Amino acid sequence: MEASEARRAVAAAMSAASELDLAVDDAIVLSDSNRLVIRLTPCDTVARVTPMTHFASAEQEVELVRRLAQTDSPVAPLEPRVEPRVFVHDGFKIAMWAYFEPVQSRMLPPAEYAQALARLHAGLRRIEVTTPHFMDRVAATQRDVASLDVTPDLADTDRALLANTLHDLGRSIVNRRSGEQLLHGEPHPFNILNTKNGPLFIDFENTARGPVEYDLAWVPSEVSQHYPDAEQDLVDECRGVVLAIVAAHRWSLNDQHPSGRESGVAFLRVLREGPPWPALDDVVW
């Protein structure tokens, strides 16, 4: 967010929490991208604050996680002291979540990560919500790649590389007709917390329907290798799609990712090198 908008978002989160009878003296920004994630203290509540124009439905995310928590899925739950819904304050949508202190003493082992993701997928199979297909995101990325207004700095050869990768791999994945289900959408390491309560997934704003291998394309390669019964050649194709999606984001005019254009160059480089595609964590981003 722009600095002025971020200040307004923090103030809105603190004010909304106070109106909900949560004790708030301070706010610590945990993440600042297309939405602001704030730890409010001393109540230890996490507020996720999004502009009203944000592309994803905060209401759907709240409802999805509420239902997943009822299946004992490994998700960071909503704040239990307030009503489980999205609050509107000063032009922002605000959702209140429980805070979990991360375990800093150890990395999450790949087998444990894979087990948690398999449990999450099992929980997602037990609920039914209307979500986009992962190919809808591919199509949206294709439109961004084709638009000189959205990606003005892409060289023609790189624009063609991204367009061809998304088209060819997307068609190949769909033609496989693999089983599909509700997915997290982006279960990469930044979206899983290693806590004393075990690994917990967060950030379900990109939930989609598709093969589980699409989710596995967002995780480290060691994790996907521990996932039961995954089609590793399909994981590889999905990795190519994911790399192209992220590359396109890095070249978007409005991208504010801290890695900036440097990672955009890195993603284009690995796409030019071709398969086998590396996992996201093997690329500087």
Side-chain angles (χ1 to χ4, degrees):
M1 291 187 183
E2 297 292 337
S4 59
E5 187 179 36
R7 287 192 294 270
R8 286 182 48 241
V10 170
M14 295 179 72
S15 179
S18 295
E19 291 177 7
L20 294 167
D21 295 325
L22 296 172
V24 183
D25 294 330
D26 196 12
I28 304 165
V29 175
L30 302 177
S31 175
D32 180 4
S33 56
N34 49 20
R35 62 178 174 175
L36 210 63
V37 181
I38 308 161
R39 178 186 177 187
L40 303 174
T41 60
C43 62
D44 260 352
T45 296
V46 173
R48 294 184 191 165
V49 188
T50 60
M52 298 293 287
T53 55
H54 188 55
F55 75 91
S57 170
E59 292 82 1
Q60 179 174 285
E61 181 180 25
V62 164
E63 177 61 15
L64 177 66
V65 173
R66 185 188 69 80
R67 293 169 66 180
L68 278 172
Q70 295 174 346
T71 69
D72 197 31
S73 296
V75 296
L78 296 159
E79 169 57 71
R81 291 170 288 182
V82 303
E83 188 179 353
R85 66 178 180 88
V86 174
F87 303 90
V88 177
H89 200 288
D90 193 24
F92 295 97
K93 290 186 175 183
I94 303 169
M96 302 293 184
W97 303 80
Y99 174 75
F100 289 87
E101 190 73 34
V103 176
Q104 305 287 359
S105 58
R106 71 182 185 109
M107 296 290 291
L108 184 62
E112 192 174 343
Y113 193 147
Q115 183 182 42
L117 185 55
R119 284 181 55 214
L120 176 65
H121 285 155
L124 287 164
R125 286 193 292 271
R126 294 174 59 186
I127 63 177
E128 189 63 42
V129 296
T130 301
T131 65
H133 193 269
F134 86 97
M135 282 300 295
D136 293 332
R137 186 172 186 185
V138 172
T141 305
Q142 288 174 310
R143 291 192 291 272
D144 289 346
V145 169
S147 172
L148 293 175
D149 292 330
V150 177
T151 52
D153 296 331
L154 267 177
D156 290 343
T157 53
D158 294 330
R159 197 179 301 277
L161 170 68
L162 290 175
N164 292 336
T165 300
L166 290 165
H167 175 270
D168 295 346
L169 289 179
R171 183 173 59 182
S172 177
I173 293 166
V174 170
N175 287 344
R176 286 173 174 269
R177 301 186 183 278
S178 296
E180 297 185 346
Q181 68 156 83
L182 193 61
L183 303 172
H184 179 286
E186 279 195 15
H188 53 66
F190 293 110
N191 283 339
I192 184 169
L193 304 176
N194 188 15
T195 76
K196 293 179 181 179
N197 296 66
L200 301 174
F201 286 94
I202 60 172
D203 195 350
F204 286 79
E205 70 174 6
N206 287 296
T207 298
R209 187 166 297 277
V212 295
E213 285 80 4
Y214 176 74
D215 263 1
L216 293 174
W218 292 89
V219 305
S221 56
E222 296 85 354
V223 176
S224 63
Q225 291 165 10
H226 280 88
Y227 191 95
D229 302 321
E231 297 182 42
Q232 295 300 330
D233 55 340
L234 179 54
V235 173
D236 185 66
E237 288 194 332
C238 288
R239 280 200 188 110
V241 167
V242 166
L243 290 170
I245 289 173
V246 177
H249 281 314
R250 294 293 83 82
W251 285 90
S252 172
L253 185 64
N254 296 321
D255 182 62
Q256 296 181 3
H257 195 276
S259 64
R261 193 52 53 81
E262 179 182 354
S263 71
V265 172
F267 279 108
L268 288 175
R269 183 180 65 252
V270 298
L271 286 169
R272 279 194 294 269
E273 291 172 353
W277 311 104
L280 274 179
D281 63 319
D282 292 328
V283 184
V284 177
W285 71 298

